[in-house]
């Protein structure tokens, strides 16, 4: 794991956001063997075989999680937004998060990378 990403997550001031970012990071590591991570554009990026796989970002009231290579994914209605090649879910405090579902989607999206 990249120390800069660890520091990014550790510096998040809202506890629920920090916990969620840590869970999302674990989900990515759980399904992408040899995942590489780095801070780029001031947020954690995760790469598989040198290609973008996912990004975590935070705002005042949400954590956004973007999955790349998403064109072929079958996504739940109304949860994700964005162009076909990358889909983003915005998670707000108190919103249920299905990390198993997100792990499955990440796994499917990165299988061809």
């Amino acid at each position: 794991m990249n120390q800069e990403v660890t520091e990014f997550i550790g510096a998040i001031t809202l506890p629920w956001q920090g916990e969620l970012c840590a869970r999302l990071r674990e989900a990515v590591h759980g399904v992408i063997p040899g995942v590489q991570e780095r801070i780029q554009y001031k947020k954690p990026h995760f790469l598989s075989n040198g290609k973008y796989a996912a990004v975590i970002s935070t705002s005042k009231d949400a954590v956004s999680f973007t999955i790349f290579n998403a064109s072929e994914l079958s996504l739940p209605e109304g949860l994700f937004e964005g162009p076909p090649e990358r889909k983003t879910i915005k998670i707000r405090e108190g919103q249920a998060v299905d990390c198993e579902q997100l792990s499955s989607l990440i796994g499917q999206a990165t299988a061809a990378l």
Side-chain angles (χ1 to χ4, degrees), residues 7-71:
E7 290 170 6
F8 174 93
I9 293 172
I12 295 171
T13 57
L14 296 174
W16 75 269
Q17 286 185 335
E19 291 167 14
L20 178 56
C21 288
R23 285 176 48 209
L24 292 170
R25 183 187 195 189
E26 289 173 18
V28 170
H29 278 269
V31 295
I32 303 175
V35 65
Q36 299 169 307
E37 44 179 38
R38 66 180 177 210
I39 297 293
Q40 188 173 352
Y41 308 113
K42 299 182 182 179
K43 52 190 134 185
H45 284 65
F46 302 90
L47 295 89
S48 177
N49 296 318
K51 296 182 180 165
Y52 291 114
V55 175
I56 297 172
S57 63
T58 59
S59 63
K60 288 182 185 179
D61 67 343
V63 171
S64 295
F65 185 68
T66 302
I67 300 173
F68 289 85
N69 198 36
S71 299

Side-chain angles (χ1 to χ4, degrees), residues 88-107:
T88 301
I89 183 172
K90 288 186 180 175
I91 305 162
R92 291 182 167 67
E93 187 173 13
Q95 181 178 341
V97 179
D98 187 342
C99 282
E100 285 185 30
Q101 180 184 52
L102 290 176
S103 292
S104 174
L105 292 169
I106 298 163

Side-chain angles (χ1 to χ4, degrees), residues 2 5 16 24 50 70 73 75-76 83 86 105:
N2 180 299
V5 173
W16 75 269
L24 292 170
L73 296 180
L75 298 168
R86 65 181 181 277
L105 292 169

